[in-house]
Amino acid sequence: MGDISRNFSRKEFACKGIDCCEQSAPVHPDLVEGLQQLRDLAGVALRVNSGFRCNKHNRKIDGSQESFHTLGMAADIACEELTPRQIAALAERIDVFCQGGIGVYVRQAVQVVEVGHLHRRGAPFIAHQNGQPIGEPVLQAHAPAPGV
């Protein structure tokens, strides 16, 4: 049982930094609603690897200065039972993620799915570190069709 949705608790979205914001966890309600819909479609638990990141922690991990994680509007998720591509395919059925974005990438040899508002709508999503692409893009970010 969660405290911000049926299956998610605020603690899961808390900043994982040390000596920064005392694990604050602002999270946008649309992100929570979309993740709950995704969890319901998947029928299995989803793990939030990274939710909110305070600016200090985001800098420490070399996150993008424009990261929507710093606004509580993106989450890196994983699932033991489904591949990242399967998670992404399910996420494509959820309006908030199709309007915001879905990215699948490899980070430190682990495939990660990011959902929420990605960096630039319509641009291929590739994780960056220190201004350089890291890993290989597996799937491009999805954005609404022009005029939507």
Side-chain angles (χ1 to χ4, degrees):
M1 296 292 284
D3 61 3
I4 57 175
S5 79
R6 188 170 50 260
N7 297 104
F8 293 98
S9 65
R10 184 167 301 279
K11 184 177 180 179
E12 293 176 86
F13 294 90
C15 181
K16 295 185 177 31
I18 298 170
D19 297 327
C20 54
C21 65
E22 299 180 11
Q23 286 71 47
S24 61
V27 59
H28 196 283
D30 289 349
L31 177 62
V32 175
E33 182 178 328
L35 285 171
Q36 185 61 57
Q37 290 175 27
L38 181 57
R39 199 289 185 198
D40 292 345
L41 281 173
V44 294
L46 301 175
R47 182 178 65 248
V48 178
N49 292 331
S50 179
F52 174 73
R53 295 183 204 139
C54 71
N55 288 325
K56 182 177 179 180
H57 178 60
N58 195 56
R59 282 190 303 275
K60 188 180 246 184
I61 65 164
D62 296 320
S64 167
Q65 289 180 4
E66 300 169 2
S67 174
F68 279 91
H69 285 272
T70 62
L71 302 174
M73 297 171 68
D76 296 348
I77 59 172
C79 176
E80 298 292 325
E81 292 86 354
L82 301 173
T83 68
R85 286 182 184 269
Q86 289 172 315
I87 296 169
L90 291 173
E92 289 176 346
R93 296 168 54 188
I94 299 169
D95 287 342
V96 71
F97 297 147
C98 289
Q99 294 168 13
I102 304 162
V104 179
Y105 60 94
V106 177
R107 186 174 206 170
Q108 298 175 347
V110 176
Q111 287 191 354
V112 176
V113 180
E114 181 168 12
V115 292
H117 297 273
L118 299 181
H119 304 281
R120 289 169 292 184
R121 289 189 174 164
F125 177 71
I126 303 170
H128 284 74
Q129 197 166 44
N130 291 328
Q132 299 298 315
I134 57 172
E136 294 294 321
V138 179
L139 186 73
Q140 291 189 341
H142 298 269
V148 174

